[in-house]
Amino acid sequence: MNAPLKNRNLKLLNGNHAVAWGVRLAAPDVAPLYPITPQTPILEKLIEFQSQDLFDAELLTPESEHSAMASAISASALGARVFTATSSQGLLLMHELLHYAAGARVPIVMFNVNRTPAAPWGFWPDQIDSLAQRDTGWVQLYCENPQDSLDTVIQAFRIAETTELPVMVNHDAFWVSHSVEPVDLPAADLVQSFLPRVKRSVQMELGTGRALSAPADQASWNLSRRDMDVAMHKVPGLIDAAGREWGDLTGRVSAPVETDRCDDAEIVFVTMGSMAGTAREAVNRLRDTGIRAGLVKVRLFRPLPVAELRDVLAGVPGALVLDRNYSPGTGGVLHQELKSALFGINEAPNLFGLLTGVGGINVPVETLVSLAQEYRGADPVSDPVWVE
Amino acid sequence: MQKIDYCDDGQFCSGHVACAGCAEALSMRVILNTVGENAVGVVSPSCVAIIVGGHPTSSARIPFQHGTLESAAASASGMKRALRAQGRDDTTVLCLAGDGGTYDIGLQALSSAAERNEDILYICFDNEGYQNTGGQRSSSTPMSAVTGSTPAGNTTQKKNLIEIMAAHRVPYIATASPSDLSDLAAKVTKAKTIRGTKVIIVIIPCLPGWGVADDAAVKTARLAVESGVFPLFEVENGVTYRLRTTEKPAPIAAYLDQQKRYRHLSDEDRQALQDDVDRNWQRLLWLAAGE
Ligand SMILES: Cc1ncc(C[n+]2csc(CCOP(=O)(O)OP(=O)(O)O)c2C)c(N)n1
Ligand code: SF4
Ligand SMILES: [Mg+2]
């Protein structure tokens, strides 16, 4: 639901600039940044804001994303609010430190622009870069459009700092990162009160003699993961609450799993990121032709909001999982995850795993419409299907 | 007997688990006490991480983060920036790493921090190999030394990290040794007063790694210094070299004889090492005379 237009501070922004605005409003203390297409406009915009005295974080431009993440972790360990951004190769280069950050429980917020990893080289929207990080312990959120990206990056600081888990927010290369749309900018004081500074349960503090992340015995290491598990379980509820509160403040409500026209649906699309926009349009067209279609947008991917997904999908006859990613040897990652999330529930939908848009190929609304027509009432297929 | 000139106010606690007789723990005592309590630290996986200690203990009174092997300087940079954002710019950020974490896998991050002249104090404990993983070669391992990964003797030169750092024009670089603890303390004290990237390389004879007797670590370090294998000097702003002595060093024979890693050497091999040391010494004299 949107707020009345007159109360809004609309600006034409692409997705990356919307992120930079969100970060500026969230006012981190430290921001280590390293350029990579198609993330670079986030970095450039923040540096431009800083040159205009509109953003006063300590900016670091080290020699690699690896060092950017290392600096981010250590700055955060001292209690600073920290932001960084990357994409594809940069995210993959950080991999070791992504595990480290989560284990160290540093509430860093990172924006990742989903892009195909090499080889071969490519610069196209595909989510395998971040999905391949699903076991690192980062909360992962996926955004549909520039407004979603701005709202989500702000909320991410709240989630990170209340759970002491790092949060990765993602949007698709170009479809979102470089697409210009009207974006409502919330007021600075609104964001400030939405993001109060929270005291950490553990941080590096002068005079404590406490060592962080020191070599631990098996039982302590095990306990660290149990603690993470507890924190992860809190995330869907916190995201839901943050999304409602944000809705009260801005008119834009969000949730871990969002649905569109699902109530009486016979077939639904389940997807993440910009594909949700295409699917939304397909749903409308299908409804016009009398097919009761719906959309399930998975905004929160880690932790996977299993209860919410079961809730919205139980009783739906068919679900087309649209994966803009490919995990070699298995198929679409969301498809795999949904299979396990829905295992054993009553009235589970027939699931169809469709590899749509892998490598950034365009998936027009018509393709989704005909897929829904084809799979409506079909028998379940366990293997993923490549869509032209 | 040498009187050590530094103030010990208990910054380094008992209970570290370095090998008995290791001079790295001794050096840590001097470094931590000289750095003092207004400091935070990062330590990379290495013997010095073991000296700082395992969870939930710590041998240091200042807080430490146990970082990753290749990121010490980047982590330290992040700490300094966080402190600056919090208005605590006067707090020293101490970075502790081994030679593997400095000359090899961490060189990229160190070069980057040095190029930005981040305000950090970087200490490299140079035991000339990956000792924590059982004694393999690093790019700091000298020519001919036997290590776990060079059983017939290392076939490459020790990397000249000091000249690499000097090329970055960092404000302060120094070498130090557990055989000269007052000198080590003085260098740490001096580094604390300088803003920007400070790098101190401390030679640490590794007992099992070099094949040195349990009671001979300090003696071996002294022989390294006196023979010119590891001369003590400072470099300011990358150009001003200051040697502690310009006296002709002693022959390296006594130094080599302390260590099993050189036991296999022929007379010619030993002479080749002596020639290298002589050449390096001449170069240092030339650099020191240059300014
Ligand atoms: C990325 C990575 N690779 C390998 C290791 C394993 N590792 C731990 S300590 C170490 C040796 C470090 O050598 P050095 O820095 O010289 O320290 P020393 O143990 O000699 O004190 C290695 C290779 C690691 N921790 N991280
Ligand atoms: S392995 Fe060598 S450097 Fe490490 S603690 Fe033992 S003696 Fe010291
Ligand atoms: Mg070493």
Side-chain angles (χ1 to χ4, degrees):
Chain A
M1 214 196 312
N2 290 337
L5 224 58
K6 62 179 162 44
N7 291 342
R8 304 174 82 194
N9 176 21
L10 289 177
K11 215 174 161 66
L12 275 176
L13 295 175
N14 67 35
N16 280 347
H17 288 172
V19 171
W21 265 97
V23 172
R24 167 178 156 181
L25 291 165
D29 304 309
V30 179
L33 294 164
Y34 190 85
I36 181 167
T37 303
Q39 173 274 125
T40 312
I42 300 178
L43 172 156
E44 288 173 336
K45 198 73 190 168
L46 287 173
I47 289 174
E48 182 188 319
F49 285 150
Q50 200 192 42
S51 71
Q52 298 164 339
D53 288 335
L54 298 167
F55 181 64
D56 74 349
E58 283 284 332
L59 279 180
L60 247 112
T61 50
E63 87 298 342
S64 68
E65 292 90 348
H66 195 284
S67 283
M69 182 48 67
S71 319
I73 290 167
S74 297
S76 185
L78 274 163
R81 179 173 283 176
V82 181
F83 174 79
T84 187
T86 190
S87 176
S88 182
Q89 311 299 125
L91 184 68
L92 302 177
L93 183 61
M94 289 177 180
H95 180 74
E96 177 204 23
L97 292 171
L98 298 184
H99 280 279
Y100 186 104
R105 302 295 297 274
V106 284
I108 297 164
V109 171
M110 170 159 64
F111 210 95
N112 177 62
V113 184
N114 289 120
R115 166 189 147 182
T116 46
W121 284 100
F123 311 89
W124 321 126
D126 185 301
Q127 295 165 346
I128 198 63
D129 57 352
S130 55
L131 293 173
Q133 314 307 320
R134 63 183 162 172
D135 300 329
T136 57
W138 284 62
V139 172
Q140 287 197 17
L141 290 147
Y142 289 80
C143 304
E144 181 182 342
N145 54 45
Q147 182 74 66
D148 197 9
S149 300
L150 177 137
D151 292 340
T152 304
V153 78
I154 292 171
Q155 292 169 33
F157 285 95
R158 155 93 66 104
I159 306 308
E161 288 166 12
T162 47
T163 57
E164 298 183 318
L165 287 169
V167 178
M168 184 192 307
V169 190
N170 300 273
H171 66 201
D172 290 325
F174 303 111
W175 300 128
V176 183
S177 69
H178 287 62
S179 297
V180 176
E181 290 186 14
V183 175
D184 174 37
L185 296 176
D189 56 350
L190 181 155
V191 177
Q192 220 177 349
S193 57
F194 184 78
L195 295 178
R197 298 278 169 163
V198 192
K199 177 93 182 121
R200 304 278 178 78
S201 61
V202 178
Q203 70 179 54
M204 287 184 82
E205 247 163 325
L206 285 182
T208 60
R210 177 186 271 149
L212 295 189
S213 310
D217 63 14
Q218 297 91 325
S220 304
W221 204 95
N222 181 291
L223 191 61
S224 75
R225 266 41 188 181
R226 288 170 184 235
D227 284 347
M228 266 160 83
D229 196 34
V230 171
M232 277 284 174
H233 273 98
K234 292 184 185 152
V235 171
L238 286 167
I239 290 188
D240 197 58
R244 282 172 204 278
E245 193 181 322
W246 192 248
D248 292 341
L249 295 167
T250 66
R252 292 183 299 278
V253 185
S254 54
V257 176
E258 296 175 6
T259 56
D260 194 5
R261 309 185 80 168
C262 280
D263 284 350
D264 61 344
E266 55 184 307
I267 190 153
V268 296
F269 298 107
V270 189
T271 194
M272 304 197 294
S274 66
M275 188 74 78
T278 315
R280 220 179 271 286
E281 184 55 28
V283 166
N284 292 339
R285 291 207 202 159
L286 286 160
R287 288 267 169 180
D288 289 346
T289 66
I291 295 179
R292 284 175 287 117
L295 166 67
V296 177
K297 167 176 150 185
V298 181
R299 185 166 164 265
L300 174 64
F301 174 76
R302 269 294 178 276
L304 193 71
V306 172
E308 290 80 350
L309 286 166
R310 290 179 170 200
D311 193 45
V312 300
L313 287 169
V316 176
L320 304 182
V321 187
L322 309 177
D323 268 299
R324 192 188 278 286
N325 68 82
Y326 169 62
S327 168
T330 54
V333 173
L334 186 59
H335 181 217
Q336 304 302 321
E337 299 259 337
L338 278 175
K339 278 198 223 174
S340 65
L342 300 178
F343 180 77
I345 65 166
N346 287 329
E347 298 187 282
N350 285 341
L351 275 188
F352 304 95
L354 305 177
L355 297 167
T356 43
V358 173
I361 60 170
N362 189 29
V363 181
V365 176
E366 299 73 40
T367 302
L368 298 188
V369 168
S370 53
L371 286 168
Q373 287 162 342
E374 181 185 342
Y375 285 101
R376 183 165 70 127
D379 289 334
V381 181
S382 64
D383 287 338
V385 178
W386 285 92
V387 174
E388 296 298 322
Chain B
M1 189 79 89
Q2 183 196 10
K3 184 174 171 298
I4 304 167
D5 184 18
Y6 85 103
C7 161
D8 192 325
D9 61 1
Q11 291 297 322
F12 184 59
C13 309
S14 61
H16 70 78
V17 287
C19 303
C22 178
E24 192 160 312
L26 181 64
S27 310
M28 269 284 274
R29 171 180 298 281
V30 172
I31 291 164
L32 288 176
N33 279 293
T34 310
V35 166
E37 59 187 9
N38 187 13
V40 296
V42 56
V43 59
S44 67
S46 57
C47 290
V48 68
I50 300 308
I51 292 171
V52 173
H55 175 82
T57 62
S58 173
S59 64
R61 288 230 186 274
I62 60 166
F64 265 97
Q65 183 205 351
H66 288 254
T68 55
L69 187 55
E70 64 293 335
S71 320
S75 297
S77 307
M79 286 182 179
K80 189 67 201 190
R81 300 308 193 91
L83 290 165
R84 193 170 293 159
Q86 294 163 344
R88 295 189 286 162
D89 205 9
D90 62 320
T91 301
T92 301
V93 175
L94 178 64
C95 194
L96 305 177
D99 50 288
T102 304
Y103 289 66
D104 286 343
I105 197 167
L107 184 59
Q108 172 175 323
L110 176 59
S111 170
S112 177
E115 167 272 320
R116 298 192 306 278
N117 201 19
E118 296 280 352
D119 187 23
I120 60 175
L121 172 51
Y122 190 106
I123 310 265
C124 170
F125 292 104
D126 190 351
N127 52 23
E128 300 190 329
Y130 299 162
Q131 305 304 356
N132 194 42
T133 43
Q136 300 79 29
R137 75 172 290 274
S138 75
S139 62
S140 170
T141 302
M143 178 68 94
S144 299
V146 166
T147 70
S149 52
T150 54
N154 190 34
T155 54
T156 56
Q157 299 275 351
K158 181 180 171 92
K159 190 185 280 181
N160 190 334
L161 184 73
I162 292 158
E163 290 196 21
I164 292 170
M165 296 321 297
H168 288 72
R169 298 291 183 264
V170 294
Y172 188 69
I173 308 164
T175 59
S177 163
S179 60
D180 295 74
L181 293 171
S182 303
D183 176 75
L184 170 62
K187 285 169 174 165
V188 172
T189 303
K190 181 167 175 181
K192 265 180 69 179
T193 65
I194 299 170
R195 282 186 75 89
T197 305
K198 288 84 61 177
V199 180
I200 301 179
I201 303 176
V202 188
I203 187 77
I204 302 292
C206 173
L207 309 176
W210 296 16
V212 167
D214 288 359
D215 59 355
V218 172
K219 180 179 178 194
T220 305
R222 177 167 301 119
L223 290 168
V225 170
E226 290 174 355
S227 63
V229 169
F230 194 85
L232 297 182
F233 62 101
E234 299 169 288
V235 188
E236 284 172 13
N237 303 314
V239 287
T240 310
Y241 281 66
R242 219 187 300 283
L243 308 192
R244 212 177 56 151
T245 172
T246 50
E247 269 173 43
K248 186 174 170 9
I252 64 168
Y255 170 69
L256 298 183
D257 290 344
Q258 289 293 319
Q259 309 168 53
K260 290 198 184 121
R261 63 176 175 163
Y262 293 120
R263 198 171 269 179
H264 64 297
L265 296 188
S266 65
D267 288 349
E268 293 80 58
D269 294 335
R270 288 166 71 100
Q271 188 53 49
L273 289 183
Q274 180 68 64
D275 292 346
D276 270 347
V277 170
D278 292 347
R279 262 193 302 275
N280 290 341
W281 178 249
Q282 287 308 318
R283 179 169 171 82
L284 258 190
L285 289 177
W286 175 75
L287 286 165
E291 274 288 316

